[in-house]
Amino acid sequence: MPDRTPPEYFDILSKTSTEDSICVSGTVQLKKLVAGELRKWELVITSIQLLNLANEEAARLDKLKHSDPNKLPPHYRFLQLRTKELQKNLRTRSIMAAVVRHVLGEKHNFTEIETPLLFKSTPEGAREFLVPTRSPNKFYALPQSPQQYKQILMSSGFTRYYQLAKCFRDEDLRADRQPEFTQVDLEMSFISHSDQVLCVVEDVIYGICNNVASKPVYTLNEDGYIIEAQKNGTSPSFYKLSYKSALEKYGIDKPDLRSSLQFVNLSSYFKPVNCPDEFNIIEACILKGALAKCAHCDIPDSLTNPDNYSRRAPSIIPITNSSATTWFETLTKDGVMVPVDSFDPRKLNELLGLEEGDIIAISNRSEHPYENPTPLGRFRNLAMAEYPDKWKRKLIDSSGNTSVPPSDAFVSCWVHDFPLFSPSEENSGSNDLYPKYNWDHRESTHHPFTMVKSEDYSLLESDPYLAHGEHYDLVINGVEVGGGSRRIHNPLVQQYVLEEVLKIRNYNSLFGHLLEALSFGCPPHAGLALGFDRLCAMVVGTQSIRDVIAFPKNQSGVDPVVSSPSNVDSETLADYYIQTID
Amino acid sequence: MPDRTPPEYFDILSKTSTEDSICVSGTVQLKKLVAGELRKWELVITSIQLLNLANEEAARLDKLKHSDPNKLPPHYRFLQLRTKELQKNLRTRSIMAAVVRHVLGEKHNFTEIETPLLFKSTPEGAREFLVPTRSPNKFYALPQSPQQYKQILMSSGFTRYYQLAKCFRDEDLRADRQPEFTQVDLEMSFISHSDQVLCVVEDVIYGICNNVASKPVYTLNEDGYIIEAQKNGTSPSFYKLSYKSALEKYGIDKPDLRSSLQFVNLSSYFKPVNCPDEFNIIEACILKGALAKCAHCDIPDSLTNPDNYSRRAPSIIPITNSSATTWFETLTKDGVMVPVDSFDPRKLNELLGLEEGDIIAISNRSEHPYENPTPLGRFRNLAMAEYPDKWKRKLIDSSGNTSVPPSDAFVSCWVHDFPLFSPSEENSGSNDLYPKYNWDHRESTHHPFTMVKSEDYSLLESDPYLAHGEHYDLVINGVEVGGGSRRIHNPLVQQYVLEEVLKIRNYNSLFGHLLEALSFGCPPHAGLALGFDRLCAMVVGTQSIRDVIAFPKNQSGVDPVVSSPSNVDSETLADYYIQTID
């Protein structure tokens, strides 16, 4: 065993460059220290082999890789993937998939079943990708979810199905979305209530938090404190919040419960003016002590920037000593609202208790909860981002001691009691201040297979808009991580919903296969899907799902690594009986 | 607790029909036996609920379901799936997937990484499915395998990748093929030889056989006996067979080694006539004692039916007392072959030892091993199917005792030393008796990323057809279960193969991303893919992969359950800048 690396190896090493692949054998041994040296170990090389050399571009990009990997050219994704962070992200994702499969497949005895990706075009819902075939005018479509196949599986005698399913949506990719994504998809039969599904899904979340993220799961108690969620096995343990109260308190159906910010209904003091009649609820969100107590208080841009609101921004007023009890006069002057007949400013001020340095935001919304988030819901999210350390909800332990929860705590809840149907929005995509609804055109809030809550059964016929669905959304830290429901198992009810409520004329050619599967004694069933990319992003602590996907598409749907999508010649297209048009 | 079921429950039950879903609670108790009764236990019902009734069709189909589930209408796949057999098949598949993931993910520390399904069109190899986008003349393609992405992952610092990958091939579905299928896809970097991959893959097979099929894995020893394969961890333990000797002995590159049938080369006795010069090797396959010893011996139709051969059938001669030493005269008379100058019938008869009741089949093949299977290779497979109990290879145990192996034994081997390139077949698809090759147009035998064997490196330039690839096929019971290779990691070699050997003009637009990934110091790597559907079919013991897929497509690529593919209106197509043509 040589006690030092032969000099010729240093010659070889000196010729290598960054990113070269080399193979080195040797012995790690205690180093004879020269005065001033700190390293105590050295590798004495006994053989060295250059496996593959990197080109000069690699050396040029090396600094970038270490300083800001996100600035590496996106078509060099392989260099980005060599960074510690992305290595860790993808390895974590792999472990998370294993935990999910362990909880579902082994602990809860679910059967993993693959459903087809070459599916049928069912032009309801989001835009889908088509796949031409070598038969004239015959197309497959890539599935947006395995929903229909998994329901047919429930009619096939499988009582517990799951799959990490690839799904596709050809939507505009403005937000942090990908045209292809992965969901943890599951369904259970012979169950009469969704709670059984919720328990299994909570177990998946417990599994991930405990085994991958190494931390507890938090939720709320009835007093509004954050508590450590305690698995009890027989009923769901996460806080349940109705859609209606989520909208009332937080202005959004996926509230971030880490913040204690909550709205105050001012409808008994004011009514909005210059707006459609139905937008008659007026609410305030108060940012207590947001501003320094100074004469010139500037409200942060992010809160007032109209680009951060989809239709109308709330009216936002900084509170000074002089405006603490008179702030509303501006709004009545500006034609935003007027006091009601019984208006009592003393009572209002008592209720709000505004002080110098507070910010109050005012907006209106409709009683019909279809505008989601409301302007104030967006304001609350912007305020949380602007003031990450303020208005944090307290954690309470089993002895009743309160504290600030860990900054990376996952606060989970179930949102339920959604309206089963929504009116279609007539001016979606426009810049109108208020949404307009076509009440004659009902849409499923989630999908047409969701079961109505049993107490609302008769509303299906008498007033479908008032019916609630047995649907549950899992929300963690303000992110909708998953959603699911009990499904309609009775073919007549399903047909009624498709034909009479949703008025889908060709329901039989689109969904006849499902009606048929239900009509052969399909047992009651319920299921749920978790957005796996989103869940991975949360666990590794990144904002973008791109950071947990090996080869994501960019905002234009382009894979910069392989340059897809790409041109195809007309001869090849002719094999599929199609041609391009401009 | 009632000691008998209340009579009103029997009323309810008597109104139920087959395939209804019901919910029954009760107590299982010892039955008071009436004389002559055999059942000892009964269920005393305490509550009963009808969950969902089946329509009348279900009752009508009930008999069919129990007698011959395959005759159930294919669009009632949910009824087929309720049968015991398909329930078991899909549950076994689920367990197999868990075993595969356990061996790779947990035991061997592979990282599971999902690669995109919206890939780029690379029109080399099998026909692919295209996916139009909402940009004019821009298409994704569905991947035939994650090959290129996984190689890029090897250049991304992941040393062990795997995935149960969805793959797509738009081929004619004559054989038992599906347009979408699943493969266990894996790749390892920083390895210098494929043996490391082979060991991991063998471990997967050991895992499945031991934990799912509960049986040992068998292979061959050097003496041609079947032995129980013994995992040794450091080098592959399955028998290795070169492509050349597989063709010589069995006429096919995926020989079923459960049979001891093996060819005899007769080229030193005869030469074929009326055939292309290069098809000058003449071989025999003898079915010893196939026929009853009778005057009128009829050869089974399956062996002679020309439909069972792709180009030419062998000459098949039943041996009687009178023809045992003169059988070849028919063939010389018929212009099939002529004796060579040194022909010695005594030596021939000594070699063959034919007796009454034997069958001899004679055919010729080329020295160039591109006709695969050969006519005699097909004959051997047909003979094995016709005579399932004959010419079985013996099993030998560690004490040297021989026996007949279990009928469901998995006999595994590796086939290797394939030619790296093959000439393209000029008359493929025609009914010509002999294939014709265009030697100027080389194709990759497997794919263009396969590494040449190091000893053949210089042949890449001097005579590519003589070069062997470092490729391995895993063959079990005559089924090609998987294939893999070491890949080219040097960008210059890869470019040379694409440009100079395969003469792909636009190689840079098709494979530039891969060349780039290699040029950044990509380490040496190798990998393999197992056909998961095929493997599942083998383990559950079915002939068709349809029996291990929940919703398979039929021979026309149609999913009879949802009736896909289907028409799409021209308005929708216009969103994708395409229109149909006739």
Side-chain angles (χ1 to χ4, degrees):
Chain A
M1 189 78 71
D3 73 341
R4 57 171 61 192
T5 299
E8 62 268 30
Y9 290 162
F10 284 108
D11 287 350
I12 296 174
L13 278 172
S14 70
K15 282 171 200 145
T16 62
S17 175
T18 178
E19 304 293 354
D20 289 354
S21 284
I22 63 171
C23 174
V24 172
S25 308
T27 314
V28 174
Q29 62 178 31
L30 263 176
K31 188 174 179 176
K32 287 172 197 134
L33 283 185
V34 180
E37 279 190 333
L38 283 173
R39 289 165 306 171
K40 282 200 172 148
W41 296 92
E42 67 177 352
L43 174 70
V44 176
I45 297 178
T46 52
S47 87
I48 185 166
Q49 197 189 350
L50 303 183
L51 298 174
N52 205 7
L53 301 185
N55 64 18
E56 285 163 15
E57 185 76 351
R60 199 182 66 77
L61 294 169
D62 189 49
K63 270 188 196 159
L64 215 48
K65 185 182 157 197
H66 294 286
S67 61
D68 190 353
N70 284 323
K71 288 208 176 124
L72 285 168
H75 61 285
Y76 294 149
R77 181 68 174 173
F78 44 88
L79 288 184
Q80 295 178 354
L81 288 171
R82 287 181 196 180
T83 61
K84 236 187 218 172
E85 197 191 14
L86 286 177
Q87 285 279 322
K88 186 181 134 277
N89 288 0
L90 291 191
R91 287 174 205 276
T92 302
R93 181 179 177 125
S94 174
I95 295 167
M96 279 178 65
V99 168
V100 168
R101 293 199 182 92
H102 177 81
V103 173
L104 294 177
E106 279 161 65
K107 192 166 165 200
H108 289 288
N109 205 23
F110 278 65
T111 304
E112 183 185 3
I113 301 178
E114 298 169 64
T115 54
L117 293 184
L118 296 173
F119 180 48
K120 183 188 184 175
S121 175
T122 54
E124 294 290 308
R127 197 186 278 107
E128 50 196 4
F129 286 104
L130 298 175
V131 181
T133 68
R134 284 180 290 126
S135 300
N137 195 15
K138 292 285 179 194
F139 294 81
Y140 297 114
L142 299 178
Q144 297 173 29
S145 92
Q147 183 65 34
Q148 295 180 55
Y149 278 119
K150 75 173 168 174
Q151 288 196 244
I152 298 174
L153 281 176
M154 293 303 102
S155 193
S156 304
F158 292 97
T159 51
R160 295 175 166 225
Y161 140 92
Y162 90 102
Q163 162 179 217
L164 267 71
K166 287 276 192 180
C167 304
F168 303 83
R169 255 170 233 183
D170 185 16
E171 290 175 312
D172 296 315
L173 304 175
R174 47 198 151 79
D176 187 31
R177 286 192 171 170
Q178 287 285 313
E180 53 181 309
F181 56 97
T182 303
Q183 69 185 34
V184 179
D185 193 58
L186 61 95
E187 197 79 16
M188 301 168 78
S189 71
F190 285 106
I191 65 170
S192 54
H193 194 281
S194 309
D195 272 0
Q196 256 183 288
V197 173
L198 269 44
C199 285
V200 168
V201 172
E202 287 186 0
D203 222 16
V204 170
I205 301 296
Y206 281 114
I208 289 171
C209 283
N210 298 339
N211 299 314
V212 186
S214 300
K215 58 187 179 189
V217 190
Y218 296 97
T219 188
L220 286 205
N221 69 9
E222 291 303 324
D223 302 325
Y225 284 101
I226 292 174
I227 53 167
E228 213 179 296
Q230 300 293 344
K231 191 160 50 165
N232 70 37
T234 55
S235 63
S237 57
F238 294 175
Y239 181 65
K240 277 186 186 174
L241 183 65
S242 76
Y243 178 80
K244 187 161 171 280
S245 71
L247 266 289
E248 281 169 0
K249 291 179 176 170
Y250 313 111
I252 192 168
D253 67 346
K254 41 185 179 185
D256 190 335
L257 298 177
R258 291 174 300 180
S259 164
S260 59
L261 286 178
Q262 196 168 314
F263 304 159
V264 188
N265 190 320
L266 299 184
S267 299
S268 54
Y269 300 90
F270 304 101
K271 60 179 185 186
V273 287
N274 297 319
C275 67
D277 283 353
E278 71 221 64
F279 286 78
N280 58 352
I281 297 175
I282 203 149
E283 293 168 329
C285 179
I286 296 166
L287 307 183
K288 204 78 201 140
L291 302 170
K293 294 181 186 175
C294 62
H296 303 283
C297 305
D298 286 334
I299 295 175
D301 283 346
S302 70
L303 303 184
T304 55
N305 186 345
D307 294 346
N308 289 338
Y309 296 90
S310 83
R311 292 189 175 276
R312 58 197 188 282
S315 306
I316 304 170
I317 300 167
I319 301 301
T320 59
N321 256 337
S322 61
S323 69
T325 54
T326 59
W327 58 272
F328 51 84
E329 287 168 9
T330 332
L331 298 183
T332 53
K333 219 178 298 167
D334 288 355
V336 172
M337 59 189 194
V338 293
V340 297
D341 293 344
S342 60
F343 180 61
D344 177 348
R346 202 183 41 85
K347 266 196 179 163
L348 175 69
N349 289 327
E350 215 165 78
L351 173 72
L352 300 180
L354 292 174
E355 297 170 293
E356 183 180 7
D358 297 349
I359 292 175
I360 185 167
I362 299 287
S363 189
N364 63 339
R365 66 171 175 95
S366 165
E367 243 194 290
H368 302 297
Y370 305 116
E371 191 183 32
N372 167 29
T374 63
L376 223 47
R378 287 183 195 269
F379 173 83
R380 181 178 184 269
N381 280 348
L382 294 168
M384 286 181 63
E386 183 68 38
Y387 302 100
D389 297 323
K390 284 186 182 273
W391 318 299
K392 288 200 153 185
R393 203 183 283 271
K394 284 274 169 51
L395 169 67
I396 194 165
D397 68 16
S398 52
S399 329
N401 302 316
T402 64
S403 59
V404 177
S407 63
D408 64 349
F410 285 170
V411 183
S412 313
C413 69
W414 291 109
V415 179
H416 67 138
D417 276 355
F418 287 82
L420 187 52
F421 304 103
S422 315
S424 71
E425 219 176 299
E426 283 205 314
N427 58 348
S428 72
S430 86
N431 288 323
D432 292 353
L433 290 181
Y434 292 91
K436 276 193 203 106
Y437 300 108
N438 177 356
W439 294 91
D440 290 332
H441 186 217
R442 295 187 199 100
E443 291 175 343
S444 293
T445 305
H446 294 98
H447 57 56
F449 319 117
T450 309
M451 184 66 128
V452 65
K453 289 195 80 173
S454 52
E455 56 268 39
D456 292 353
Y457 193 79
S458 61
L459 290 171
L460 268 191
E461 202 183 338
S462 60
D463 194 345
Y465 281 122
L466 296 185
H468 295 88
E470 195 171 322
H471 177 99
Y472 290 82
D473 268 357
L474 175 61
V475 176
I476 304 180
N477 292 0
V479 176
E480 183 200 318
V481 170
S485 59
R486 191 150 79 89
R487 328 297 187 179
I488 300 171
H489 63 270
N490 183 310
L492 296 176
V493 176
Q494 183 65 74
Q495 183 178 338
Y496 184 84
V497 166
L498 294 171
E499 191 175 12
E500 301 296 334
V501 183
L502 297 171
K503 307 207 183 294
I504 299 173
R505 273 166 306 162
N506 56 342
Y507 71 90
N508 212 43
S509 86
L510 293 180
F511 303 112
H513 51 273
L514 185 62
L515 292 173
E516 199 142 52
L518 299 181
S519 72
F520 278 75
C522 180
H525 56 286
L528 193 138
L530 295 168
F532 190 60
D533 307 288
R534 182 70 51 207
L535 201 56
C536 290
M538 281 188 66
V539 168
V540 306
T542 174
Q543 289 301 312
S544 171
I545 59 171
R546 288 199 185 91
D547 295 340
V548 292
I549 295 174
F551 301 104
K553 305 283 190 286
N554 69 16
Q555 297 264 350
S556 316
V558 166
D559 180 340
V561 177
V562 302
S563 306
S564 70
S566 60
N567 293 348
V568 172
D569 61 52
S570 53
E571 212 171 292
T572 305
L573 295 181
D575 287 345
Y576 299 96
Y577 297 94
I578 57 170
Q579 62 189 18
T580 57
I581 51 180
D582 294 328
Chain B
M1 189 77 70
D3 73 340
R4 57 171 60 192
T5 300
E8 63 268 30
Y9 290 163
F10 284 108
D11 287 350
I12 297 174
L13 278 172
S14 70
K15 282 172 200 146
T16 62
S17 172
T18 178
E19 304 294 354
D20 289 354
S21 283
I22 63 172
C23 174
V24 171
S25 308
T27 315
V28 174
Q29 63 179 31
L30 263 177
K31 186 173 182 177
K32 288 172 197 130
L33 283 185
V34 180
E37 279 190 334
L38 283 173
R39 289 164 307 169
K40 282 204 175 142
W41 296 93
E42 67 178 351
L43 174 69
V44 176
I45 297 178
T46 53
S47 88
I48 185 165
Q49 198 190 350
L50 303 183
L51 299 172
N52 205 7
L53 302 185
N55 64 18
E56 287 163 14
E57 184 76 351
R60 200 181 66 76
L61 294 169
D62 189 50
K63 271 188 195 158
L64 215 48
K65 186 182 158 196
H66 294 286
S67 60
D68 190 353
N70 284 323
K71 287 205 177 129
L72 285 168
H75 61 285
Y76 293 149
R77 180 68 174 172
F78 43 89
L79 288 184
Q80 296 177 354
L81 287 171
R82 287 182 197 180
T83 61
K84 234 186 221 176
E85 197 191 15
L86 286 177
Q87 285 279 322
K88 187 181 135 276
N89 288 359
L90 291 191
R91 287 173 204 278
T92 302
R93 182 180 176 124
S94 174
I95 295 167
M96 279 177 67
V99 168
V100 168
R101 292 199 182 93
H102 177 81
V103 173
L104 294 177
E106 279 160 63
K107 191 166 166 200
H108 289 287
N109 206 23
F110 277 66
T111 304
E112 182 185 4
I113 301 178
E114 299 169 65
T115 53
L117 294 184
L118 296 173
F119 180 49
K120 183 187 183 176
S121 174
T122 56
E124 294 289 309
R127 196 186 278 110
E128 53 198 1
F129 285 104
L130 298 176
V131 181
T133 69
R134 284 179 292 126
S135 300
N137 195 15
K138 292 284 179 193
F139 295 81
Y140 297 113
L142 299 179
Q144 296 172 29
S145 92
Q147 182 66 34
Q148 294 179 55
Y149 278 118
K150 73 173 170 175
Q151 288 195 245
I152 297 172
L153 281 176
M154 293 303 102
S155 193
S156 303
F158 293 96
T159 52
R160 294 175 168 226
Y161 140 91
Y162 89 102
Q163 162 180 216
L164 266 70
K166 287 275 192 180
C167 304
F168 302 83
R169 255 171 232 181
D170 185 18
E171 291 175 310
D172 297 314
L173 303 175
R174 47 194 153 79
D176 188 31
R177 284 191 172 172
Q178 288 284 314
E180 53 182 309
F181 56 97
T182 303
Q183 68 185 35
V184 179
D185 194 57
L186 61 95
E187 196 79 17
M188 302 168 77
S189 72
F190 284 106
I191 65 171
S192 54
H193 196 279
S194 308
D195 273 358
Q196 255 182 288
V197 174
L198 270 43
C199 285
V200 168
V201 172
E202 288 187 359
D203 222 15
V204 170
I205 301 297
Y206 280 115
I208 289 171
C209 283
N210 298 339
N211 299 314
V212 186
S214 300
K215 58 187 180 188
V217 189
Y218 297 96
T219 189
L220 286 205
N221 69 9
E222 292 303 324
D223 302 325
Y225 283 101
I226 292 174
I227 54 166
E228 211 178 296
Q230 300 292 343
K231 191 159 52 163
N232 71 35
T234 55
S235 64
S237 57
F238 295 175
Y239 181 66
K240 278 186 185 174
L241 182 67
S242 76
Y243 177 80
K244 187 162 173 280
S245 71
L247 266 289
E248 282 170 1
K249 290 178 176 171
Y250 312 110
I252 193 167
D253 67 346
K254 40 185 178 183
D256 189 335
L257 297 178
R258 291 174 299 181
S259 164
S260 59
L261 286 177
Q262 196 167 316
F263 305 158
V264 188
N265 189 320
L266 300 184
S267 299
S268 53
Y269 299 91
F270 303 102
K271 60 179 185 186
V273 288
N274 297 319
C275 68
D277 283 354
E278 71 221 66
F279 286 78
N280 58 353
I281 296 176
I282 203 150
E283 292 168 330
C285 179
I286 296 167
L287 307 184
K288 203 79 200 143
L291 301 171
K293 293 181 184 176
C294 61
H296 303 283
C297 303
D298 285 335
I299 295 175
D301 282 346
S302 71
L303 302 184
T304 54
N305 186 345
D307 294 346
N308 289 339
Y309 296 90
S310 83
R311 292 187 175 278
R312 58 196 187 284
S315 307
I316 303 171
I317 300 167
I319 301 300
T320 59
N321 256 337
S322 60
S323 69
T325 54
T326 59
W327 58 271
F328 50 84
E329 288 168 7
T330 331
L331 300 182
T332 53
K333 220 179 295 166
D334 289 355
V336 171
M337 58 189 194
V338 293
V340 298
D341 293 345
S342 60
F343 179 61
D344 178 346
R346 202 183 41 84
K347 266 195 180 163
L348 174 70
N349 288 327
E350 216 165 78
L351 173 73
L352 300 181
L354 293 175
E355 297 170 294
E356 182 180 8
D358 297 350
I359 293 175
I360 186 167
I362 298 287
S363 188
N364 64 337
R365 67 172 175 94
S366 164
E367 243 194 290
H368 303 298
Y370 304 116
E371 191 183 31
N372 168 29
T374 63
L376 224 46
R378 287 183 194 269
F379 173 83
R380 180 177 184 270
N381 279 349
L382 294 168
M384 285 181 66
E386 182 69 37
Y387 302 100
D389 297 324
K390 284 187 181 271
W391 319 298
K392 287 201 152 185
R393 203 182 283 270
K394 281 276 169 49
L395 170 67
I396 194 164
D397 68 17
S398 54
S399 329
N401 302 316
T402 64
S403 58
V404 176
S407 62
D408 64 348
F410 285 169
V411 183
S412 313
C413 70
W414 292 107
V415 178
H416 68 138
D417 276 354
F418 287 81
L420 187 52
F421 305 103
S422 315
S424 69
E425 220 177 298
E426 283 204 316
N427 57 348
S428 71
S430 86
N431 288 323
D432 292 353
L433 290 181
Y434 292 91
K436 274 192 205 111
Y437 299 108
N438 177 355
W439 295 89
D440 290 332
H441 186 218
R442 294 186 200 100
E443 292 175 343
S444 293
T445 306
H446 294 97
H447 58 57
F449 319 117
T450 309
M451 184 67 127
V452 65
K453 290 195 80 170
S454 52
E455 56 268 40
D456 291 353
Y457 192 80
S458 61
L459 290 171
L460 268 191
E461 203 182 338
S462 60
D463 194 346
Y465 282 121
L466 294 186
H468 295 89
E470 195 172 321
H471 177 99
Y472 290 81
D473 269 356
L474 175 61
V475 176
I476 303 180
N477 292 0
V479 175
E480 182 199 318
V481 170
S485 60
R486 191 149 79 88
R487 328 297 186 179
I488 300 170
H489 62 270
N490 184 311
L492 297 175
V493 176
Q494 183 65 74
Q495 183 179 338
Y496 184 85
V497 166
L498 294 171
E499 191 175 11
E500 302 296 335
V501 183
L502 296 171
K503 307 206 184 295
I504 300 174
R505 273 165 308 161
N506 57 341
Y507 72 90
N508 213 43
S509 85
L510 293 181
F511 303 113
H513 52 272
L514 184 62
L515 291 172
E516 199 142 51
L518 298 181
S519 72
F520 278 74
C522 180
H525 56 285
L528 192 136
L530 293 169
F532 190 58
D533 307 287
R534 182 71 50 210
L535 201 55
C536 290
M538 281 188 68
V539 167
V540 306
T542 174
Q543 288 302 310
S544 170
I545 59 171
R546 289 200 184 91
D547 294 339
V548 293
I549 296 175
F551 301 104
K553 305 283 191 288
N554 69 15
Q555 297 264 350
S556 316
V558 167
D559 179 340
V561 177
V562 302
S563 306
S564 70
S566 60
N567 293 348
V568 172
D569 61 53
S570 55
E571 212 172 292
T572 305
L573 295 181
D575 285 346
Y576 300 97
Y577 297 93
I578 56 170
Q579 62 189 19
T580 56
I581 51 179
D582 295 327

